[in-house]
Amino acid sequence: MIFILKYWIKLSFVEYKDSLLYLFGICSLEQTSILTANNFMPSISVLMAVKNGFPYLEESIGSILNQTHADFQLVIVDDSSTDGTVKYIEGLNDDRILLVSAKGAGLVDALNTGLEYCAAPLVARMDADDVCMENRLALQYGAMSANSDIGVL
């Protein structure tokens, strides 16, 4: 499943995300202003949840890191892997990657956890065994930018 979401509210991104996270009880008011480790605001956050996906990660993560649209953050949520997934991701030297741990409650919980760390106004989903074309983010970002009435692509 690969798609990209766009927030419709005219608030700033941080205000909008913060209010949703608090409204739905995902986190407290004190926890809402989460950016990446480097405190930058990318144009796209790519959200990937993984549990024991080690055999696929090199190709999958590589296909994101080699995008022609390089202004993104890759939020990877590890859902209690036991196969070397975490060690592999920790060994990647790219400031755009943010590794987050989840409690092993499944895909939906891992994705909800990861959304808390997405700093961009657009969120693209990527499964750990997906491989995308090098221009995926550029094409989706262009389509979303050119069509303000589109919320999901």
Side-chain angles (χ1 to χ4, degrees):
M1 175 189 347
I2 299 174
F3 60 90
I4 194 162
L5 301 174
K6 183 175 183 178
Y7 296 113
W8 298 9
I9 301 257
K10 295 296 181 192
L11 298 171
S12 75
F13 167 70
V14 172
E15 290 170 334
Y16 176 64
K17 187 176 91 172
D18 290 356
S19 62
L20 281 180
L21 293 173
Y22 179 70
L23 179 67
F24 291 110
I26 295 171
C27 61
S28 69
L29 285 174
E30 294 78 28
Q31 297 172 310
T32 55
S33 294
I34 300 170
L35 294 177
T36 65
N38 295 323
N39 290 327
F40 77 103
M41 180 72 73
S43 60
I44 300 172
S45 290
V46 179
L47 177 57
M48 175 188 291
V50 60
K51 180 164 187 163
N52 296 328
F54 177 71
Y56 311 103
L57 292 180
E58 183 176 0
E59 188 174 15
S60 181
I61 293 173
S63 75
I64 289 293
L65 296 180
N66 292 318
Q67 290 291 299
T68 57
H69 180 93
D71 181 26
F72 65 85
Q73 163 200 40
L74 176 56
V75 177
I76 305 173
V77 183
D78 175 62
D79 196 26
S80 301
S81 294
T82 59
D83 68 344
T85 291
V86 172
K87 185 175 181 176
Y88 175 77
I89 296 167
E90 288 176 340
L92 297 173
N93 188 22
D94 194 307
D95 291 336
R96 297 171 294 181
I97 297 173
L98 178 63
L99 178 60
V100 178
S101 294
K103 57 188 174 196
L107 178 62
V108 173
D109 183 63
L111 292 175
N112 284 330
T113 297
L115 277 174
E116 294 180 40
Y117 293 88
C118 290
L122 299 174
V123 176
R125 267 281 292 122
M126 179 88 172
D127 287 328
D129 60 350
D130 288 344
V131 177
C132 57
M133 302 298 291
E134 66 184 13
N135 61 346
R136 171 200 170 186
L137 296 180
L139 291 172
Q140 289 181 310
Y141 183 78
M144 296 297 284
S145 297
N147 300 287
S148 62
D149 57 326
I150 296 176
V152 178
L153 175 64

